[in-house]
Coordinates of all heavy atoms in Angstrom, one line a residue:
D170 N 90.9 88.6 95.5 CA 91.8 88.2 96.7 C 91.0 88.2 98.0 O 91.3 87.3 98.8 CB 93.0 89.2 96.8 CG 93.8 89.3 95.5 OD1 93.6 88.5 94.6 OD2 94.6 90.3 95.4
A171 N 90.1 89.2 98.1 CA 89.3 89.3 99.4 C 88.4 88.1 99.5 O 88.1 87.7 100.7 CB 88.6 90.6 99.4
Y172 N 88.0 87.5 98.4 CA 87.1 86.3 98.5 C 88.0 85.1 98.9 O 87.5 84.2 99.6 CB 86.5 86.0 97.2 CG 85.3 86.9 96.8 CD1 85.5 88.1 96.1 CD2 84.0 86.6 97.2 CE1 84.5 88.9 95.7 CE2 83.0 87.4 96.8 CZ 83.2 88.6 96.1 OH 82.1 89.4 95.8
T173 N 89.2 85.0 98.4 CA 90.0 83.8 98.4 C 90.8 83.6 99.6 O 90.9 82.5 100.2 CB 90.9 83.7 97.1 OG1 90.1 83.9 96.0 CG2 91.6 82.3 97.1
L174 N 91.5 84.7 100.1 CA 92.4 84.5 101.3 C 91.7 83.9 102.5 O 92.3 83.0 103.1 CB 93.0 85.9 101.7 CG 94.0 85.8 102.8 CD1 95.1 84.9 102.5 CD2 94.5 87.2 103.2
P175 N 90.5 84.3 102.9 CA 89.8 83.6 104.0 C 89.7 82.1 103.8 O 89.8 81.3 104.8 CB 88.5 84.3 104.1 CG 88.7 85.6 103.6 CD 89.6 85.4 102.4
E176 N 89.4 81.6 102.6 CA 89.3 80.2 102.3 C 90.6 79.5 102.5 O 90.7 78.4 103.1 CB 88.8 80.0 100.9 CG 87.4 80.4 100.6 CD 86.9 79.9 99.2 OE1 87.0 78.7 99.0 OE2 86.5 80.8 98.4
L177 N 91.7 80.1 102.1 CA 93.0 79.6 102.3 C 93.4 79.5 103.8 O 94.0 78.5 104.3 CB 94.1 80.4 101.5 CG 93.9 80.4 100.0 CD1 94.9 81.4 99.4 CD2 94.0 79.0 99.4
L178 N 93.0 80.6 104.5 CA 93.4 80.7 105.9 C 92.6 79.6 106.7 O 93.2 79.1 107.8 CB 93.1 82.1 106.5 CG 94.0 83.2 105.9 CD1 93.5 84.5 106.5 CD2 95.4 82.9 106.3
R179 N 91.5 79.2 106.3 CA 90.7 78.2 107.1 C 91.4 76.9 107.0 O 91.2 76.0 107.8 CB 89.3 78.1 106.6 CG 88.4 79.1 107.2 CD 86.9 78.9 106.8 NE 86.6 79.3 105.5 CZ 86.2 80.5 105.2 NH1 86.1 81.4 106.1 NH2 85.9 80.8 103.9
K180 N 92.3 76.7 106.0 CA 93.1 75.4 105.9 C 94.5 75.5 106.5 O 95.2 74.5 106.5 CB 93.1 75.1 104.4 CG 91.7 74.9 103.8 CD 91.8 74.7 102.3 CE 92.4 73.3 101.9 NZ 92.3 73.0 100.5
A181 N 94.9 76.7 106.9 CA 96.2 77.0 107.4 C 96.3 76.8 108.9 O 95.4 77.1 109.6 CB 96.7 78.4 107.0
R182 N 97.5 76.3 109.3 CA 97.7 76.2 110.8 C 98.7 77.2 111.3 O 98.7 77.5 112.5 CB 98.2 74.7 111.1 CG 97.2 73.6 110.8 CD 97.8 72.3 110.9 NE 98.9 72.1 109.9 CZ 99.6 71.0 109.8 NH1 99.5 70.0 110.7 NH2 100.5 70.9 108.8
K183 N 99.6 77.6 110.4 CA 100.6 78.6 110.9 C 100.9 79.6 109.7 O 101.1 79.2 108.6 CB 101.9 77.9 111.3 CG 103.0 78.9 111.7 CD 104.3 78.2 112.1 CE 104.2 77.5 113.4 NZ 105.5 76.9 113.8
V184 N 100.8 80.9 110.1 CA 101.1 82.0 109.1 C 102.3 82.8 109.7 O 102.3 83.1 110.9 CB 99.9 82.9 108.9 CG1 100.3 84.1 108.0 CG2 98.8 82.1 108.2
K185 N 103.3 83.0 108.8 CA 104.4 83.9 109.3 C 104.4 85.2 108.5 O 104.0 85.2 107.3 CB 105.7 83.2 109.0 CG 106.0 82.0 109.9 CD 107.4 81.4 109.7 CE 107.7 80.3 110.6 NZ 109.1 79.7 110.4
I186 N 104.8 86.2 109.2 CA 105.0 87.5 108.6 C 106.5 87.8 108.6 O 107.1 87.6 109.6 CB 104.3 88.7 109.4 CG1 102.8 88.3 109.7 CG2 104.4 90.0 108.7 CD1 102.0 88.1 108.4
S187 N 107.0 88.2 107.5 CA 108.5 88.3 107.4 C 108.9 89.7 106.9 O 108.2 90.3 106.0 CB 109.0 87.3 106.4 OG 110.4 87.4 106.3
S188 N 110.0 90.2 107.4 CA 110.5 91.5 106.9 C 111.5 91.3 105.8 O 112.1 92.3 105.4 CB 111.2 92.2 108.1 OG 112.2 91.5 108.7
K189 N 111.7 90.1 105.4 CA 112.7 89.8 104.4 C 112.1 90.1 103.0 O 111.0 89.7 102.6 CB 113.1 88.3 104.4 CG 113.7 87.9 105.7 CD 114.0 86.4 105.8 CE 114.6 86.0 107.1 NZ 114.7 84.5 107.2
G190 N 112.9 90.9 102.2 CA 112.5 91.1 100.8 C 111.4 92.1 100.6 O 110.8 92.6 101.6
F191 N 111.1 92.4 99.4 CA 110.0 93.3 99.0 C 109.4 92.9 97.7 O 110.0 92.4 96.8 CB 110.6 94.8 98.8 CG 111.0 95.5 100.1 CD1 112.3 95.6 100.4 CD2 110.0 96.0 100.9 CE1 112.7 96.2 101.6 CE2 110.4 96.7 102.1 CZ 111.8 96.8 102.4
Y192 N 108.1 93.1 97.7 CA 107.3 93.1 96.5 C 107.1 94.5 96.0 O 106.7 95.4 96.8 CB 105.9 92.5 96.7 CG 105.1 92.2 95.5 CD1 105.1 91.0 94.8 CD2 104.3 93.2 95.0 CE1 104.4 90.8 93.7 CE2 103.5 93.0 93.9 CZ 103.5 91.8 93.2 OH 102.8 91.6 92.1
H193 N 107.4 94.8 94.7 CA 107.3 96.2 94.2 C 105.9 96.3 93.5 O 105.8 95.7 92.4 CB 108.4 96.5 93.3 CG 109.7 96.7 94.0 ND1 110.1 98.0 94.4 CD2 110.7 95.9 94.4 CE1 111.3 97.9 95.0 NE2 111.7 96.6 95.0
Y194 N 105.0 96.9 94.1 CA 103.7 97.2 93.5 C 103.8 98.5 92.6 O 104.2 99.5 93.2 CB 102.6 97.3 94.5 CG 101.3 97.7 94.0 CD1 100.4 96.8 93.3 CD2 100.9 99.1 94.1 CE1 99.2 97.2 92.8 CE2 99.6 99.5 93.6 CZ 98.8 98.6 93.0 OH 97.6 99.0 92.5
C195 N 103.4 98.4 91.4 CA 103.4 99.5 90.5 C 102.0 100.1 90.3 O 101.2 99.4 89.7 CB 104.1 99.2 89.2 SG 105.8 98.6 89.4
W196 N 101.8 101.3 90.7 CA 100.4 101.9 90.7 C 100.0 102.0 89.2 O 100.7 102.4 88.4 CB 100.5 103.2 91.3 CG 99.1 104.0 91.3 CD1 98.8 105.0 90.4 CD2 98.0 103.7 92.1 NE1 97.5 105.4 90.7 CE2 97.0 104.6 91.7 CE3 97.7 102.8 93.1 CZ2 95.7 104.7 92.3 CZ3 96.5 102.9 93.7 CH2 95.5 103.8 93.3
N197 N 98.7 101.6 89.0 CA 98.1 101.6 87.7 C 96.9 102.5 87.8 O 95.9 102.1 88.5 CB 97.8 100.2 87.2 CG 97.1 100.2 85.8 OD1 96.9 101.2 85.2 ND2 96.8 99.0 85.4
E198 N 96.9 103.6 87.1 CA 95.8 104.6 87.2 C 94.5 104.0 86.6 O 93.4 104.5 86.8 CB 96.1 105.9 86.5 CG 97.2 106.7 87.3 CD 97.5 108.0 86.6 OE1 96.9 108.3 85.6 OE2 98.2 108.8 87.2

Side-chain angles (χ1 to χ4, degrees):
D170 305 343
Y172 286 92
T173 307
L174 182 60
E176 292 189 56
L177 300 173
L178 291 178
R179 276 190 282 275
K180 302 174 71 174
R182 293 171 296 177
K183 179 183 288 188
V184 172
K185 289 185 177 180
I186 310 299
S187 178
S188 59
K189 299 173 182 176
F191 287 103
Y192 185 93
H193 287 269
Y194 171 80
C195 299
W196 178 257
N197 180 359
E198 292 185 354

